[in-house]
Amino acid sequence: MSQCPSRCCSCVWVTSVCQPIAEAVFRKLVTDQKLSDHWRIDSAEICTYEIGNPPDYQEQSCMKKHGIPMSHTAWQFTKEDFATFSYILCMDEINLRDLNRNSNQIKNCKTKIELLGSYNPQNQLHC
């Protein structure tokens, strides 16, 4: 992993079903706000099911329909990534628990690990 500009965020899921969409939407929001130079955005999965694969056709079709560019190849999140990312946004409670447990094994880990849904102003979770 390369070093981050000033902030890095990874969206993490068990497999790469929703997280490429979260990455694409987050990237678009950052780009629309002209903050791309300040962020490195990526997404990863905890399991190995989809490593090396692009998002499935339904994800790509949905993003195309909404005019959101999507470019992603699935990769697995590792303990070393805690040193790379400032923020990790989890898609569910299971990943939040697992990543918090893993981060506790990293000395001086400063990564902020939260649920992506905690940033939803309507407090509704949709994937």
Side-chain angles (χ1 to χ4, degrees), residues 3 6-7 12-13 25 45 79 96 100 105 107 117 124:
Q3 286 297 326
S6 56
R7 296 181 194 103
V12 178
W13 188 251
V25 171
E45 60 183 76
K79 288 182 182 179
L96 180 65
N100 276 319
Q105 299 171 14
K107 187 176 182 179
Q124 300 169 345

Side-chain angles (χ1 to χ4, degrees), residues 9-40:
C9 180
S10 182
C11 302
V12 178
W13 188 251
V14 174
T15 62
S16 62
V17 176
C18 294
Q19 43 85 354
I21 293 174
E23 173 192 341
V25 171
F26 189 14
R27 186 179 311 281
K28 181 176 183 340
L29 293 171
V30 167
T31 300
D32 289 352
Q33 294 295 314
K34 300 188 182 352
L35 297 172
S36 298
D37 292 343
H38 303 285
W39 283 90
R40 175 177 165 227

Side-chain angles (χ1 to χ4, degrees), residues 1-83:
M1 291 283 150
S2 61
Q3 286 297 326
C4 296
S6 56
R7 296 181 194 103
C8 294
C9 180
S10 182
C11 302
V12 178
W13 188 251
V14 174
T15 62
S16 62
V17 176
C18 294
Q19 43 85 354
I21 293 174
E23 173 192 341
V25 171
F26 189 14
R27 186 179 311 281
K28 181 176 183 340
L29 293 171
V30 167
T31 300
D32 289 352
Q33 294 295 314
K34 300 188 182 352
L35 297 172
S36 298
D37 292 343
H38 303 285
W39 283 90
R40 175 177 165 227
I41 302 163
D42 209 331
S43 61
E45 60 183 76
I46 291 176
C47 294
T48 59
Y49 307 134
E50 298 291 336
I51 291 178
N53 293 330
D56 74 23
Y57 74 94
Q58 292 173 323
E59 293 171 339
Q60 293 181 39
S61 174
C62 179
M63 293 295 94
K64 187 175 183 178
K65 176 180 165 185
H66 293 285
I68 299 174
M70 176 183 253
S71 171
H72 176 79
T73 301
W75 58 276
Q76 186 175 18
F77 192 89
T78 65
K79 288 182 182 179
E80 290 76 28
D81 294 318
F82 286 108

